[in-house]
Amino acid sequence: MKVNIYASSDVHGHIYPYDYAKNIPLDYSLAHLYDCYKKDKNKYKILVDNGDIIQGNSAEYFIDTTPNPIVKVMNFMDYKIWNMGNHEFNFSYPRLKKIIKDFKGTALMANSNSNFFYKYKTINLEDIKISFIGINTLLINYFEKEESLAGLVIEDPIAILNQLLNKLSKTSNVIIGMFHLGLEDENSIVNSGLYSILNNIENPQLFDVIICGHTHKSISQLFHKDILITQPAAYTKTISKIEMDFSKGVLISKNSSAINLAEFKASEEILKLYEPYHKKILEYTHEIIGYVKGIKREFNYDFEDNPLNHLLTKIMLKFSKADVVAFQIDNKEALLKNGPLRRCDLAELYSYDGGEVTTYKMKGIDLKKYILWSYDYFNYKDGKVSVNEKRADFKYKTLDVFGNIHYTIDLREKSENRLKELKYLNGKDILDSDEITVGMNEYRMNFLISKEGPLAGKTFEKISSSKYIDENFNKRGTIRELAKYYFEDLPNNTYYYNDESYFYIKY
């Protein structure tokens, strides 16, 4: 008897084959996945998702639509299991519960204090019982505000895994873990990575297969001792296919592969089902939120201060009252132009759709350490600049830019000596003892104070957060959303760039 399991993870709204930020068609999507799944004529097959599916690629536009269009598509595709990811909680836990109620499969998350989610699901295929256990990342407790979580706590998974593995091993032929987390601990938080969990539970060998997610990387097939580990790439670029063979109820072989969905066609059924929402997203993303004037030349966005830096700085300052702001531009081809600025243009320029502005109190010495860490992103050797390999391996770009201050970086120097000047805009030196309010996204701060971060072991007082800008969580205070309000307050909704430079990089 053969059983095939298809797993998606970190789909991030890629239902229709279209990138709504770049305004380009794609050759991968959930529609492609369905074509792949339907072409498998094996009698026994199961479709599961490992989290972060309802957020991203403008899917959040429908967060209050009932039923949620992505859930509607998942039901049509016959998804049996939906394990929760961290981005499922971006819109508040009460909202998520409303969305899940329309899902016809089973919503999993074993490691929380809530009974709303199933801790496991056993699927019976003739005499074979396959049990799935869902685990979510502990980082949710740090990513989301307490008010948004409404009493929900994501718990350390060790105790519940010990309990469930002991129970299910007595009744199941196969146990599969669905872990919305990567292989390694994140931000130095113990048991936020697969390997530390396997090291800390009592009987890890009771797992037959584990599906990972969250880090957006593709793992075709990996064995940790005898546990098969796989992870689909983000955005439906690949799907994990797990093939299991049984003889008389005993699992005799298991393997996995990463299927490139560009090799399949987009299912016409899914395209037709999602078409009305696709059209609404296009209408929304093409809305003009403001206008830009005054840009007279092109810029090297990694090595020069530029109009996009100044625009983002002004947006963040307006809604945070920070002294200094820090942000990163992930898009290597970012280019702010004169003329109308649409939502999709801003989404392409600033790709972190969850990026909010949270402010912290820190000393001047801490800001200096942060800046030095940021520009350690670059190596310098024999007159050439390259990207630090370790930093290039991060999930997101880690070259942060600092706004509302003057500073000079010399990449030709050793990392610890690169910061040559650091001043307020009034020309006054920033002293080590100065108390400064710094605005950034909370995700970055969580890394900075982690064991691997430049401010390891420190804690900073949180002053404010724009994450939710009304008490009912109806408006998200992300930089993308705040930009619209910023432009509305400008004369003629127009931002003028005055060609100022706040920082200089020598190399």
Side-chain angles (χ1 to χ4, degrees):
M1 179 178 174
K2 183 176 182 178
V3 177
N4 293 336
I5 297 173
Y6 290 80
S8 56
S9 188
D10 301 277
V11 171
H12 287 295
H14 286 73
I15 314 304
Y16 203 94
Y18 200 86
D19 186 317
Y20 298 106
K22 295 181 179 179
N23 278 309
I24 57 172
L26 302 172
D27 58 4
Y28 51 86
S29 68
L30 217 63
H32 288 78
L33 188 159
Y34 193 51
D35 182 57
C36 169
Y37 185 66
K38 285 199 305 178
K39 286 181 175 175
D40 184 344
K41 301 305 180 184
N42 187 55
K43 182 179 180 181
Y44 302 107
K45 59 182 182 178
I46 303 170
L47 182 59
V48 302
D49 182 76
N50 199 29
D52 283 5
I53 191 170
I54 59 171
Q55 176 273 342
N57 205 29
S58 296
E60 51 270 21
Y61 180 70
F62 302 107
I63 209 66
D64 288 317
T65 300
T66 304
N68 183 282
I70 294 181
V71 170
K72 192 174 177 180
V73 171
M74 292 174 75
N75 287 338
F76 181 87
M77 294 173 64
D78 198 25
Y79 266 94
K80 297 299 185 185
I81 293 174
W82 175 14
N83 186 41
M84 296 297 103
N86 55 293
H87 284 287
E88 264 75 28
F89 295 89
N90 284 171
F91 315 99
S92 83
Y93 176 40
R95 256 199 181 120
L96 177 60
K97 288 196 287 187
K98 291 179 182 178
I99 293 169
I100 288 173
K101 285 180 179 178
D102 291 312
F103 180 55
K104 293 180 180 179
T106 302
L108 290 184
M109 188 170 70
N111 60 320
S112 82
N113 62 344
S114 171
N115 291 322
F116 177 79
F117 302 97
Y118 284 83
K119 299 186 184 304
Y120 69 93
K121 172 67 177 178
T122 299
I123 294 178
N124 299 316
L125 301 174
E126 292 189 4
D127 60 341
I128 302 296
K129 296 181 184 294
I130 303 174
S131 292
F132 297 82
I133 301 174
I135 298 295
N136 206 343
T137 173
L138 291 166
L139 274 293
I140 293 172
N141 296 326
Y142 302 87
F143 292 157
E144 303 298 334
K145 293 180 71 173
E146 289 184 16
E147 303 95 299
S148 172
L149 292 176
L152 179 75
V153 177
I154 310 304
E155 299 175 337
D156 187 290
I158 301 304
I160 190 64
L161 282 175
N162 285 335
Q163 176 186 331
L164 292 176
L165 285 170
N166 180 57
K167 173 183 176 179
L168 295 173
S169 64
K170 298 172 183 176
T171 59
S172 304
N173 301 88
V174 168
I175 299 178
I176 296 177
M178 296 184 66
F179 286 30
H180 190 82
L181 41 84
L183 299 178
E184 306 291 345
D185 282 344
E186 185 174 1
N187 291 353
S188 306
I189 296 173
V190 177
N191 297 328
S192 64
L194 175 62
Y195 287 152
S196 66
I197 292 173
L198 294 179
N199 287 336
N200 290 327
I201 59 177
E202 293 170 357
N203 297 297
Q205 73 281 359
L206 295 177
F207 275 117
D208 296 286
V209 180
I210 293 178
I211 302 163
C212 285
H214 184 56
T215 59
H216 291 191
K217 297 178 180 178
S218 177
I219 301 173
S220 178
Q221 178 170 280
L222 172 69
F223 279 93
H224 179 77
K225 298 181 180 176
D226 194 38
I227 304 170
L228 171 62
I229 300 169
T230 186
Q231 179 174 328
Y235 316 127
T236 66
K237 289 183 178 179
T238 68
I239 185 173
S240 288
K241 180 181 180 181
I242 301 159
E243 299 175 272
M244 300 183 294
D245 287 300
F246 296 85
S247 177
K248 298 179 180 178
V250 177
L251 179 64
I252 57 173
S253 72
K254 57 185 177 183
N255 63 79
S256 62
S257 58
I259 299 177
N260 180 5
L261 290 180
E263 298 174 0
F264 295 85
K265 294 181 179 180
S267 162
E268 290 295 333
E269 294 168 290
I270 302 301
L271 295 181
K272 183 178 180 180
L273 185 61
Y274 204 71
E275 180 74 18
Y277 308 104
H278 168 66
K279 289 180 178 178
K280 287 181 180 179
I281 292 175
L282 286 176
E283 182 180 344
Y284 172 74
T285 57
H286 283 70
E287 178 190 354
I288 295 173
I289 62 172
Y291 299 86
V292 177
K293 289 186 177 181
I295 301 173
K296 299 175 182 177
R297 64 183 180 89
E298 293 187 358
F299 296 81
N300 184 320
Y301 275 50
D302 275 351
F303 299 108
E304 286 184 283
D305 201 0
N306 57 71
L308 179 57
N309 289 347
H310 283 252
L311 175 59
L312 293 175
T313 294
K314 289 181 181 297
I315 294 169
M316 294 175 74
L317 288 174
K318 181 177 176 65
F319 295 97
S320 70
K321 296 181 171 59
D323 300 315
V324 182
V325 293
F327 52 89
Q328 81 279 4
I329 298 172
D330 283 326
N331 185 352
K332 295 178 182 179
E333 299 176 356
L335 180 63
L336 182 63
K337 300 177 181 178
N338 291 322
L341 184 70
R342 302 168 299 177
R343 289 183 182 274
C344 56
D345 299 324
L346 183 61
E348 184 178 10
L349 292 167
Y350 183 76
S351 59
Y352 184 24
D353 58 2
E356 88 301 343
V357 191
T358 300
T359 57
Y360 302 89
K361 285 287 186 186
M362 65 171 59
K363 296 290 186 181
I365 184 64
D366 300 311
L367 177 61
K368 290 178 182 179
K369 289 178 180 178
Y370 180 14
I371 295 172
L372 285 169
W373 168 81
S374 177
Y375 286 95
D376 192 40
Y377 180 83
F378 295 112
N379 293 329
Y380 186 87
K381 186 177 181 181
D382 300 329
K384 294 182 179 180
V385 178
S386 61
V387 177
N388 182 316
E389 287 187 9
K390 183 178 179 181
R391 296 283 285 274
D393 197 43
F394 275 66
K395 182 177 178 181
Y396 300 112
K397 191 173 182 179
T398 58
L399 173 62
D400 287 6
V401 176
F402 301 84
N404 210 41
I405 52 174
H406 286 301
Y407 62 97
T408 301
I409 297 291
D410 192 340
L411 296 179
R412 299 168 297 186
E413 298 278 1
K414 291 183 178 179
S415 296
E416 64 271 19
N417 298 325
R418 287 179 170 176
L419 183 58
K420 296 302 180 183
E421 181 185 50
L422 182 61
K423 296 177 181 291
Y424 298 103
L425 293 188
N426 63 11
K428 183 181 176 182
D429 287 336
I430 295 178
L431 304 178
D432 289 354
S433 58
D434 286 357
E435 190 172 78
I436 303 168
T437 301
V438 181
M440 68 182 82
N441 68 69
E442 191 168 14
Y443 184 87
R444 174 66 80 235
M445 175 55 83
N446 288 334
F447 171 77
L448 295 177
I449 62 176
S450 71
K451 195 178 297 181
E452 293 89 4
L455 305 175
K458 293 207 168 190
T459 56
F460 299 97
E461 179 187 359
K462 184 192 293 187
I463 306 300
S464 66
S465 175
S466 72
K467 189 148 196 175
Y468 302 102
I469 54 179
D470 74 2
E471 61 183 11
N472 297 315
F473 314 109
N474 290 321
K475 295 181 180 178
R476 299 181 69 216
T478 64
I479 290 172
R480 289 187 188 177
E481 290 300 319
L482 297 177
K484 185 175 188 298
Y485 308 129
Y486 171 77
F487 277 100
E488 286 175 351
D489 288 343
L490 294 177
N492 300 315
N493 304 116
T494 302
Y495 165 71
Y496 289 88
Y497 177 59
N498 58 12
D499 208 25
E500 281 186 301
S501 289
Y502 288 170
F503 67 83
Y504 300 91
I505 299 177
K506 299 177 180 179
Y507 59 97

